[in-house]
Amino acid sequence: MNAIISASELADALRSERPPVLLDVRWQLSTAAASGQPFDGRAAYASGHIPGAVFVDLDRELASTPGPRGRHPLPDLDVFGAAMRRAGVSAGTPVVAYDGGIGWAAARAWWLLRWTGHPDVRVLDGGLPAWDGPLEAEAEAEAEASAPAEGDFVPKPAEGAVLDADGAAALARSGVLLDARAGERYRGEVEPIDPVGGHIPGALSAPTSDNVDADGRFRPAAELRARFGELGATRDVPVGVYCGSGVSAAHEVLALEVAGIPAALYVGSWSEWTSDPARPVAVGPDPQ
């Protein structure tokens, strides 16, 4: 099953006898918008969302409290499971996640559901900007009493899909570890968030932005396979991905999935790696 779905395919699916559960996961990495106020995904959802979608809070429901394990550690499974059931997710229900267009947050929801055992999850390619159907404000949804029925999904994590710091370091030596951040952060030229710039020794720079076209849609599978193949990432070698805090890296794992290449996610990513000053840091374009 394809891990992404086009807006036209989603419209058809919503009219089918087995419509998917819709997760609205709008979120932004930036702490403030141009107005000086932090981005509010909940308010964006309330102002207009795909009819039937349920808002999911990335910071509170798809991650746990920031700390030594990173800015977006794995969520408490009870919290995550309750959020998914509230949204109507059941074991046999198809699910589609979308966000404001960049795809990172929707990919985080996709990855968590796949990691915890849900077999039928896709991401809306291009996010909400790709959707040309009607939107529904929260007041309209409440007036129609359209809250979904409680789902029955119980998360059961899979083995081997998650890397810790030691596993990421080992994979950089024995397989392929991709750094999904912008190239200047990988090289250590700038670091706007974490205390140290640079990358995990042995990791290869593979910015998430290169996975999509100018419209924010994923490049064709063949192009993605070629891109990752040039970095040595194929089905024949173990592959892992990290970023700043395990959000944009989920998007890279999704791109790899589109290309037919399985990959593990280092959830703690650079924000966890740099929390321990004893861990080595490489700078510059050379992986080592």
Side-chain angles (χ1 to χ4, degrees), residues 163 177-180 239-243 249 252-253 256 263-266 269:
L163 296 170
L177 181 65
L178 302 178
D179 185 318
V239 178
V241 187
Y242 76 95
C243 59
E252 188 114 299
V253 173
L256 285 156
L265 177 65
Y266 175 24
S269 285

Side-chain angles (χ1 to χ4, degrees), residues 172 176-179 186 199-205 242 285-288:
V176 174
L177 181 65
L178 302 178
D179 185 318
Y186 170 88
H199 57 270
I200 297 173
L204 301 170
S205 180
Y242 76 95
D286 189 332
Q288 304 301 328

Side-chain angles (χ1 to χ4, degrees), residues 2-11 13 20 95-97 122-127:
N2 200 342
I4 56 176
I5 184 171
S6 69
S8 61
E9 290 170 334
L10 176 58
V95 180
V96 173
R122 287 178 284 179
V123 167
L124 176 58
D125 196 16

Side-chain angles (χ1 to χ4, degrees), residues 226-237:
R227 182 206 178 198
F228 293 124
E230 290 177 357
L231 295 167
T234 69
R235 291 188 61 87
D236 300 324
V237 298

Side-chain angles (χ1 to χ4, degrees), residues 4-286:
I4 56 176
I5 184 171
S6 69
S8 61
E9 290 170 334
L10 176 58
D12 290 341
L14 290 172
R15 290 190 294 265
S16 72
E17 295 181 356
R18 191 167 169 257
V21 169
L22 285 176
L23 307 180
D24 183 311
V25 203
R26 272 177 278 183
W27 171 87
Q28 285 184 9
L29 177 62
S30 59
T31 57
S35 64
Q37 297 298 317
F39 176 78
D40 187 340
R42 186 71 177 77
Y45 165 85
S47 67
H49 53 268
I50 298 176
V54 174
F55 179 71
V56 176
D57 190 313
L58 185 148
D59 290 316
R60 294 177 175 83
E61 296 172 320
L62 304 184
S64 56
T65 305
R69 292 185 300 128
R71 286 193 305 281
H72 291 103
L74 287 172
D76 179 282
L77 289 181
D78 289 338
V79 173
F80 173 65
M84 294 300 99
R85 291 189 293 274
R86 172 184 59 82
V89 176
S90 291
T93 307
V95 180
V96 173
Y98 71 87
D99 57 26
I102 195 168
W104 295 0
R108 173 79 174 210
W110 168 85
W111 180 85
L112 280 167
L113 279 165
R114 289 292 301 273
W115 172 60
T116 54
H118 200 292
D120 190 352
V121 190
R122 287 178 284 179
V123 167
L124 176 58
D125 196 16
L128 192 60
W131 176 255
D132 58 4
L135 294 180
E136 172 183 71
E138 187 169 36
E140 296 169 333
E142 291 175 347
E144 296 175 5
S146 58
E150 183 88 358
D152 63 14
F153 178 69
V154 178
K156 297 177 182 179
E159 297 290 337
V162 178
L163 296 170
D164 59 13
D166 290 340
L171 187 59
R173 298 188 297 270
S174 64
V176 174
L177 181 65
L178 302 178
D179 185 318
R181 298 172 301 157
E184 58 268 25
R185 293 183 69 190
Y186 170 88
R187 295 187 296 271
E189 296 165 359
V190 298
E191 181 43 63
I193 305 172
D194 295 308
V196 179
H199 57 270
I200 297 173
L204 301 170
S205 180
T208 297
S209 57
D210 291 344
N211 296 329
V212 298
D213 60 21
D215 293 326
R217 293 179 174 86
F218 281 98
R219 297 186 183 279
E223 288 186 17
L224 291 171
R225 274 194 297 275
R227 182 206 178 198
F228 293 124
E230 290 177 357
L231 295 167
T234 69
R235 291 188 61 87
D236 300 324
V237 298
V239 178
V241 187
Y242 76 95
C243 59
S245 66
V247 178
S248 66
H251 189 274
E252 188 114 299
V253 173
L254 176 57
L256 285 156
E257 178 81 6
V258 172
I261 303 168
L265 177 65
Y266 175 24
V267 179
S269 285
W270 192 244
S271 57
E272 179 190 40
W273 184 267
T274 56
S275 69
D276 182 350
R279 294 190 182 112
V281 170
V283 295
D286 189 332

